[in-house]
Amino acid sequence: MNTITVEFKPVKLKMSVKNLTLETLEEAIFDIRQEIGKVAFVNALKEYDEVLAKNRARGTLKNIRKKTKYLQTRVGDIQYSRTLYKEKTTGKPKYLLDEALGIDKNQRMSLRMLEIMGLLASVGPYRGAQEQLSRLLGVPWSHEAIRQNVIREGKRIEEREAKEHQKIRELDYQLPSDLPEVVYNETDATYIRRQNKGKKKCRKQRHLEVKLGVGYTGKEARYNGGKKKSRKLSQRVVYADIKASRNEFMDRFSCLSEKVFGTSIANKSYLGGDGDSWIREGKKEYFTNSEYLLCPFHLFRNLRRALPGKRKSQERLKKFFEQNKIDEVLNRLKRMIKMIRSRNLKKKLVEFYGYIRNNREGIEASMRVRLDKTIESAGAVEPNIDKLIAHRFKGRGMSWSEDGAQALLKIRQTIVNGQWGSWWYKERGRIIEIKAVFKEPLTAKQLCKKQGIPPFIEAELPCYRGPDQGKPWVGVLHELTRARQFS
């Protein structure tokens, strides 16, 4: 069996005991450890290259010369030489040492260093990550180098996500063996400051919209001991994106939820939101089997905004909401609108009235769920927006480019989902093959037998994705297709 030897040569250091402190001694020993590690690292690489040269296939590779490579590692910057070969049949250059160690062509840093760098950059500013790395490793770093590495790795994660999404769209995936009884999905969006590079921009262009989706199967106790009042989401999966449009985001999030939880075949499925129209429309198209829940937090917050300073009216309407008396709420709001003379307050009440009418289905379902103690109420997406987005992207003076924010968001998403370790040493180098799965179309008779409904023609209308997708008459078509039959 071929082996290599990692040798650490003994080192002796004489130091004067005059004015010697613990910090001075610690710094000296740390520097010695780094230097010994670098020498041992280079010698091990040299020996491994020689072993590969002896065991290479004869007659296929031609030895050209030794070539130097620089690599940043946890023990410091190293410079080593490896043998450059040339394939006799194709003439392509080849480094056996790089292939054996999994080193990419332009890689200048070890994966462990990239992992630590991405982790530090995800929890604090780049300059803070630079200072922490310099103190921990004793090597000076550039905050711009850290940022560029984060962007490259985030783009790599994004490309992997696109391929995984394509596989799901092609039905090339496996559902989990243990499917949950109930699935909860919640979506929301927030805004972060966009970098302004000397160009005047309108209000909408000053910010980037960050869309977030959270999927889970319920709530469980956070700690094993104690009173167990603190709870966390079970089997939580988070998906976030900036560059994708709202329709694209809902499509990708629904595919991820389908792969992880089997949302379409779950006994109960819920989709929570804050009442925005894009979430309601996305529910009709991408979460057709889910029941829409309006988040109570957003409902009561909008109630307080519509009636500022009127606590008695707020409490009265809140009780009607909790009793699911939506008609009574609408009637009282109508009377308030007629009686109030303040234009500003009347405008707020009119907007709140329209908000309730548009989200009536979600309000009724949400209040019904709150009374059922076996079902979780919507509202889990707001804490996740704080943890995943606000804590890192909304600091004082922070502004972001679209590429930089997207890349860092993907890294934080990977960490929150508990996939950071597996990404580096399992998923990062895995090749994804997309194989389209062809299924024979069902005849009308087979369709009736399988689903128990009258025959109908299933098709997608161009207006669902064109410029008219948000118009009222398209919404009527959505309602008609929900019945899954035409009379």
Side-chain angles (χ1 to χ4, degrees), residues 49-88:
D49 190 44
E50 293 173 355
V51 171
L52 293 172
K54 291 179 182 178
N55 298 333
R56 75 179 189 274
R58 300 298 175 181
T60 59
L61 299 174
K62 182 181 178 180
N63 190 332
I64 303 300
R65 66 177 187 276
K66 293 285 186 179
K67 199 166 182 180
T68 304
K69 185 177 179 67
Y70 295 89
L71 198 65
Q72 293 177 316
T73 68
R74 290 167 64 188
V75 298
D77 297 349
I78 63 171
Q79 177 183 349
Y80 66 96
S81 298
R82 77 269 200 234
T83 308
L84 170 63
Y85 298 94
K86 185 178 181 181
E87 294 183 357
K88 293 183 177 181

Short mmCIF file of all heavy atoms in Angstrom, two decimals, residues 49-88:
data_model
loop_
_atom_site.label_atom_id
_atom_site.label_comp_id
_atom_site.label_asym_id
_atom_site.label_seq_id
_atom_site.Cartn_x
_atom_site.Cartn_y
_atom_site.Cartn_z
N ASP A 49 3.37 13.78 -4.68
CA ASP A 49 3.59 13.95 -6.12
C ASP A 49 4.53 12.89 -6.66
O ASP A 49 4.35 12.37 -7.77
CB ASP A 49 4.13 15.35 -6.39
CG ASP A 49 4.15 15.68 -7.87
OD1 ASP A 49 3.15 15.37 -8.56
OD2 ASP A 49 5.15 16.24 -8.35
N GLU A 50 5.55 12.55 -5.87
CA GLU A 50 6.49 11.51 -6.30
C GLU A 50 5.82 10.14 -6.34
O GLU A 50 6.10 9.33 -7.23
CB GLU A 50 7.68 11.50 -5.35
CG GLU A 50 8.55 12.76 -5.43
CD GLU A 50 9.63 12.79 -4.35
OE1 GLU A 50 9.62 11.87 -3.50
OE2 GLU A 50 10.45 13.73 -4.37
N VAL A 51 4.96 9.86 -5.37
CA VAL A 51 4.23 8.57 -5.36
C VAL A 51 3.34 8.45 -6.59
O VAL A 51 3.27 7.41 -7.24
CB VAL A 51 3.41 8.45 -4.06
CG1 VAL A 51 2.48 7.23 -4.14
CG2 VAL A 51 4.31 8.33 -2.85
N LEU A 52 2.64 9.54 -6.93
CA LEU A 52 1.78 9.52 -8.11
C LEU A 52 2.60 9.35 -9.39
O LEU A 52 2.15 8.70 -10.34
CB LEU A 52 0.96 10.81 -8.18
CG LEU A 52 -0.09 11.02 -7.08
CD1 LEU A 52 -0.68 12.42 -7.17
CD2 LEU A 52 -1.19 9.98 -7.18
N ALA A 53 3.79 9.94 -9.42
CA ALA A 53 4.65 9.80 -10.61
C ALA A 53 5.10 8.36 -10.80
O ALA A 53 5.17 7.86 -11.94
CB ALA A 53 5.86 10.72 -10.48
N LYS A 54 5.38 7.66 -9.71
CA LYS A 54 5.83 6.27 -9.82
C LYS A 54 4.69 5.34 -10.26
O LYS A 54 4.91 4.36 -10.98
CB LYS A 54 6.38 5.80 -8.47
CG LYS A 54 7.69 6.47 -8.09
CD LYS A 54 8.15 5.97 -6.72
CE LYS A 54 9.45 6.67 -6.29
NZ LYS A 54 9.90 6.21 -4.95
N ASN A 55 3.48 5.62 -9.81
CA ASN A 55 2.35 4.73 -10.07
C ASN A 55 1.52 5.12 -11.29
O ASN A 55 0.48 4.52 -11.55
CB ASN A 55 1.43 4.69 -8.85
CG ASN A 55 2.12 4.14 -7.62
OD1 ASN A 55 3.05 3.35 -7.73
ND2 ASN A 55 1.68 4.57 -6.45
N ARG A 56 1.94 6.12 -12.04
CA ARG A 56 1.14 6.55 -13.19
C ARG A 56 1.20 5.51 -14.31
O ARG A 56 2.14 4.70 -14.38
CB ARG A 56 1.64 7.91 -13.71
CG ARG A 56 2.94 7.86 -14.48
CD ARG A 56 3.33 9.25 -14.96
NE ARG A 56 4.44 9.24 -15.87
CZ ARG A 56 5.71 9.26 -15.52
NH1 ARG A 56 6.04 9.25 -14.23
NH2 ARG A 56 6.67 9.27 -16.43
N ALA A 57 0.18 5.55 -15.16
CA ALA A 57 0.13 4.61 -16.29
C ALA A 57 1.24 4.93 -17.28
O ALA A 57 1.36 6.07 -17.74
CB ALA A 57 -1.24 4.69 -16.97
N ARG A 58 2.03 3.95 -17.61
CA ARG A 58 3.16 4.16 -18.51
C ARG A 58 2.69 4.25 -19.96
O ARG A 58 1.78 3.56 -20.39
CB ARG A 58 4.16 3.01 -18.37
CG ARG A 58 4.72 2.86 -16.96
CD ARG A 58 5.49 4.09 -16.53
NE ARG A 58 5.94 4.01 -15.14
CZ ARG A 58 6.62 4.95 -14.52
NH1 ARG A 58 6.90 6.07 -15.17
NH2 ARG A 58 6.97 4.79 -13.26
N GLY A 59 3.37 5.13 -20.70
CA GLY A 59 3.09 5.25 -22.13
C GLY A 59 1.95 6.18 -22.48
O GLY A 59 1.67 6.38 -23.66
N THR A 60 1.27 6.76 -21.47
CA THR A 60 0.13 7.64 -21.77
C THR A 60 0.43 9.11 -21.45
O THR A 60 -0.17 10.00 -22.03
CB THR A 60 -1.11 7.20 -20.97
OG1 THR A 60 -0.80 7.24 -19.57
CG2 THR A 60 -1.53 5.79 -21.36
N LEU A 61 1.34 9.36 -20.50
CA LEU A 61 1.66 10.71 -20.07
C LEU A 61 3.14 11.01 -20.27
O LEU A 61 3.99 10.15 -20.04
CB LEU A 61 1.29 10.92 -18.59
CG LEU A 61 -0.17 10.75 -18.20
CD1 LEU A 61 -0.34 10.83 -16.70
CD2 LEU A 61 -1.03 11.79 -18.89
N LYS A 62 3.42 12.24 -20.66
CA LYS A 62 4.80 12.68 -20.84
C LYS A 62 5.13 13.72 -19.78
O LYS A 62 4.43 14.71 -19.60
CB LYS A 62 4.97 13.30 -22.23
CG LYS A 62 6.39 13.76 -22.52
CD LYS A 62 6.49 14.37 -23.90
CE LYS A 62 7.91 14.86 -24.17
NZ LYS A 62 8.01 15.48 -25.52
N ASN A 63 6.24 13.49 -19.05
CA ASN A 63 6.69 14.41 -18.01
C ASN A 63 7.28 15.65 -18.66
O ASN A 63 8.26 15.59 -19.39
CB ASN A 63 7.72 13.70 -17.12
CG ASN A 63 8.05 14.52 -15.88
OD1 ASN A 63 7.95 15.74 -15.88
ND2 ASN A 63 8.45 13.82 -14.82
N ILE A 64 6.67 16.82 -18.37
CA ILE A 64 7.13 18.08 -18.98
C ILE A 64 8.11 18.80 -18.06
O ILE A 64 9.29 18.98 -18.38
CB ILE A 64 5.95 18.99 -19.32
CG1 ILE A 64 4.96 18.26 -20.25
CG2 ILE A 64 6.44 20.27 -20.00
CD1 ILE A 64 5.53 17.82 -21.57
N ARG A 65 7.63 19.22 -16.88
CA ARG A 65 8.48 19.95 -15.94
C ARG A 65 7.74 20.13 -14.62
O ARG A 65 6.56 19.77 -14.49
CB ARG A 65 8.84 21.33 -16.50
CG ARG A 65 7.68 22.28 -16.64
CD ARG A 65 8.14 23.65 -17.13
NE ARG A 65 7.07 24.63 -17.13
CZ ARG A 65 6.18 24.78 -18.10
NH1 ARG A 65 6.26 24.00 -19.18
NH2 ARG A 65 5.24 25.70 -18.01
N LYS A 66 8.43 20.72 -13.66
CA LYS A 66 7.83 21.06 -12.38
C LYS A 66 7.25 22.48 -12.48
O LYS A 66 7.86 23.36 -13.08
CB LYS A 66 8.87 21.04 -11.26
CG LYS A 66 9.42 19.67 -10.93
CD LYS A 66 8.42 18.85 -10.15
CE LYS A 66 9.04 17.53 -9.69
NZ LYS A 66 8.09 16.72 -8.90
N LYS A 67 6.10 22.68 -11.88
CA LYS A 67 5.46 23.99 -11.93
C LYS A 67 5.00 24.37 -10.53
O LYS A 67 4.44 23.56 -9.79
CB LYS A 67 4.27 23.97 -12.89
CG LYS A 67 3.86 25.36 -13.34
CD LYS A 67 2.93 25.31 -14.53
CE LYS A 67 2.59 26.72 -15.00
NZ LYS A 67 1.67 26.71 -16.16
N THR A 68 5.22 25.64 -10.19
CA THR A 68 4.93 26.14 -8.84
C THR A 68 3.48 26.59 -8.73
O THR A 68 2.91 27.14 -9.66
CB THR A 68 5.86 27.31 -8.49
OG1 THR A 68 7.22 26.88 -8.64
CG2 THR A 68 5.65 27.77 -7.06
N LYS A 69 2.90 26.37 -7.53
CA LYS A 69 1.54 26.81 -7.25
C LYS A 69 1.49 27.40 -5.84
O LYS A 69 2.14 26.89 -4.93
CB LYS A 69 0.55 25.65 -7.35
CG LYS A 69 -0.91 26.07 -7.18
CD LYS A 69 -1.84 24.88 -7.36
CE LYS A 69 -3.30 25.29 -7.17
NZ LYS A 69 -3.77 26.18 -8.23
N TYR A 70 0.70 28.47 -5.69
CA TYR A 70 0.49 29.11 -4.39
C TYR A 70 -0.88 28.70 -3.87
O TYR A 70 -1.86 28.64 -4.61
CB TYR A 70 0.57 30.63 -4.50
CG TYR A 70 1.94 31.14 -4.90
CD1 TYR A 70 2.28 31.29 -6.24
CD2 TYR A 70 2.89 31.46 -3.94
CE1 TYR A 70 3.53 31.76 -6.61
CE2 TYR A 70 4.14 31.93 -4.30
CZ TYR A 70 4.46 32.08 -5.64
OH TYR A 70 5.69 32.54 -6.00
N LEU A 71 -0.94 28.46 -2.56
CA LEU A 71 -2.18 28.03 -1.94
C LEU A 71 -2.28 28.62 -0.55
O LEU A 71 -1.32 28.56 0.23
CB LEU A 71 -2.25 26.50 -1.88
CG LEU A 71 -3.63 25.87 -1.66
CD1 LEU A 71 -4.55 26.15 -2.85
CD2 LEU A 71 -3.50 24.37 -1.45
N GLN A 72 -3.45 29.19 -0.23
CA GLN A 72 -3.71 29.72 1.11
C GLN A 72 -4.41 28.66 1.94
O GLN A 72 -5.47 28.16 1.56
CB GLN A 72 -4.57 30.98 1.03
CG GLN A 72 -3.86 32.16 0.39
CD GLN A 72 -4.76 33.36 0.25
OE1 GLN A 72 -5.92 33.25 -0.15
NE2 GLN A 72 -4.25 34.54 0.58
N THR A 73 -3.82 28.32 3.09
CA THR A 73 -4.35 27.27 3.95
C THR A 73 -4.46 27.79 5.37
O THR A 73 -4.08 28.93 5.67
CB THR A 73 -3.44 26.03 3.93
OG1 THR A 73 -2.18 26.36 4.56
CG2 THR A 73 -3.17 25.58 2.50
N ARG A 74 -4.96 26.97 6.27
CA ARG A 74 -5.11 27.37 7.67
C ARG A 74 -3.76 27.53 8.38
O ARG A 74 -3.68 28.23 9.39
CB ARG A 74 -5.95 26.33 8.41
CG ARG A 74 -7.41 26.34 7.99
CD ARG A 74 -8.14 25.12 8.49
NE ARG A 74 -8.21 25.08 9.94
CZ ARG A 74 -8.66 24.04 10.64
NH1 ARG A 74 -9.07 22.96 9.99
NH2 ARG A 74 -8.70 24.07 11.95
N VAL A 75 -2.72 26.88 7.86
CA VAL A 75 -1.40 27.04 8.47
C VAL A 75 -0.63 28.21 7.86
O VAL A 75 0.48 28.52 8.28
CB VAL A 75 -0.57 25.75 8.34
CG1 VAL A 75 -1.24 24.61 9.06
CG2 VAL A 75 -0.34 25.40 6.88
N GLY A 76 -1.22 28.85 6.84
CA GLY A 76 -0.57 29.99 6.21
C GLY A 76 -0.46 29.79 4.71
O GLY A 76 -0.92 28.79 4.14
N ASP A 77 0.18 30.75 4.05
CA ASP A 77 0.38 30.67 2.60
C ASP A 77 1.55 29.74 2.30
O ASP A 77 2.65 29.91 2.86
CB ASP A 77 0.67 32.06 2.03
CG ASP A 77 -0.49 33.02 2.22
OD1 ASP A 77 -1.57 32.54 2.60
OD2 ASP A 77 -0.30 34.23 2.02
N ILE A 78 1.33 28.79 1.42
CA ILE A 78 2.39 27.84 1.05
C ILE A 78 2.66 27.93 -0.45
O ILE A 78 1.79 28.34 -1.23
CB ILE A 78 2.03 26.39 1.44
CG1 ILE A 78 0.79 25.91 0.66
CG2 ILE A 78 1.81 26.26 2.93
CD1 ILE A 78 0.51 24.43 0.83
N GLN A 79 3.86 27.54 -0.84
CA GLN A 79 4.28 27.48 -2.24
C GLN A 79 4.89 26.11 -2.47
O GLN A 79 5.86 25.74 -1.79
CB GLN A 79 5.29 28.58 -2.55
CG GLN A 79 5.83 28.55 -3.97
CD GLN A 79 6.88 29.61 -4.21
OE1 GLN A 79 7.07 30.50 -3.39
NE2 GLN A 79 7.57 29.51 -5.32
N TYR A 80 4.33 25.35 -3.38
CA TYR A 80 4.82 23.99 -3.62
C TYR A 80 4.93 23.75 -5.12
O TYR A 80 4.33 24.47 -5.93
CB TYR A 80 3.90 22.96 -2.98
CG TYR A 80 2.52 22.88 -3.58
CD1 TYR A 80 2.21 21.92 -4.55
CD2 TYR A 80 1.51 23.75 -3.19
CE1 TYR A 80 0.95 21.84 -5.11
CE2 TYR A 80 0.25 23.68 -3.73
CZ TYR A 80 -0.04 22.72 -4.70
OH TYR A 80 -1.28 22.65 -5.26
N SER A 81 5.68 22.73 -5.49
CA SER A 81 5.88 22.36 -6.89
C SER A 81 5.24 21.02 -7.17
O SER A 81 5.32 20.10 -6.34
CB SER A 81 7.39 22.29 -7.20
OG SER A 81 8.00 23.53 -7.02
N ARG A 82 4.58 20.93 -8.29
CA ARG A 82 4.02 19.65 -8.71
C ARG A 82 4.35 19.43 -10.17
O ARG A 82 4.66 20.36 -10.91
CB ARG A 82 2.51 19.58 -8.46
CG ARG A 82 1.65 20.33 -9.44
CD ARG A 82 1.40 21.72 -8.99
NE ARG A 82 0.23 22.29 -9.65
CZ ARG A 82 0.25 23.43 -10.32
NH1 ARG A 82 1.36 24.12 -10.44
NH2 ARG A 82 -0.85 23.89 -10.88
N THR A 83 4.29 18.17 -10.59
CA THR A 83 4.73 17.78 -11.92
C THR A 83 3.64 18.04 -12.95
O THR A 83 2.48 17.67 -12.74
CB THR A 83 5.13 16.29 -11.96
OG1 THR A 83 6.05 16.03 -10.91
CG2 THR A 83 5.76 15.93 -13.29
N LEU A 84 4.05 18.67 -14.03
CA LEU A 84 3.15 18.90 -15.16
C LEU A 84 3.36 17.81 -16.19
O LEU A 84 4.49 17.57 -16.63
CB LEU A 84 3.41 20.27 -15.78
CG LEU A 84 2.72 20.57 -17.13
CD1 LEU A 84 1.21 20.57 -16.96
CD2 LEU A 84 3.21 21.90 -17.70
N TYR A 85 2.24 17.15 -16.56
CA TYR A 85 2.29 16.09 -17.57
C TYR A 85 1.51 16.54 -18.80
O TYR A 85 0.72 17.48 -18.75
CB TYR A 85 1.69 14.79 -17.03
CG TYR A 85 2.41 14.22 -15.84
CD1 TYR A 85 2.00 14.52 -14.54
CD2 TYR A 85 3.50 13.38 -16.01
CE1 TYR A 85 2.65 14.00 -13.44
CE2 TYR A 85 4.17 12.84 -14.91
CZ TYR A 85 3.74 13.17 -13.63
OH TYR A 85 4.40 12.65 -12.55
N LYS A 86 1.74 15.81 -19.89
CA LYS A 86 1.05 16.07 -21.13
C LYS A 86 0.54 14.75 -21.70
O LYS A 86 1.30 13.80 -21.84
CB LYS A 86 2.00 16.74 -22.15
CG LYS A 86 1.32 17.17 -23.44
CD LYS A 86 2.32 17.87 -24.34
CE LYS A 86 1.68 18.34 -25.64
NZ LYS A 86 2.67 19.00 -26.53
N GLU A 87 -0.77 14.68 -21.98
CA GLU A 87 -1.33 13.46 -22.56
C GLU A 87 -0.83 13.28 -23.98
O GLU A 87 -0.92 14.19 -24.80
CB GLU A 87 -2.87 13.53 -22.53
CG GLU A 87 -3.45 13.53 -21.14
CD GLU A 87 -4.97 13.52 -21.16
OE1 GLU A 87 -5.53 13.59 -22.28
OE2 GLU A 87 -5.59 13.45 -20.09
N LYS A 88 -0.31 12.11 -24.27
CA LYS A 88 0.30 11.87 -25.58
C LYS A 88 -0.74 11.81 -26.70
O LYS A 88 -0.46 12.15 -27.84
CB LYS A 88 1.11 10.57 -25.55
CG LYS A 88 2.33 10.65 -24.65
CD LYS A 88 3.15 9.36 -24.71
CE LYS A 88 4.41 9.48 -23.86
NZ LYS A 88 5.24 8.25 -23.92
#
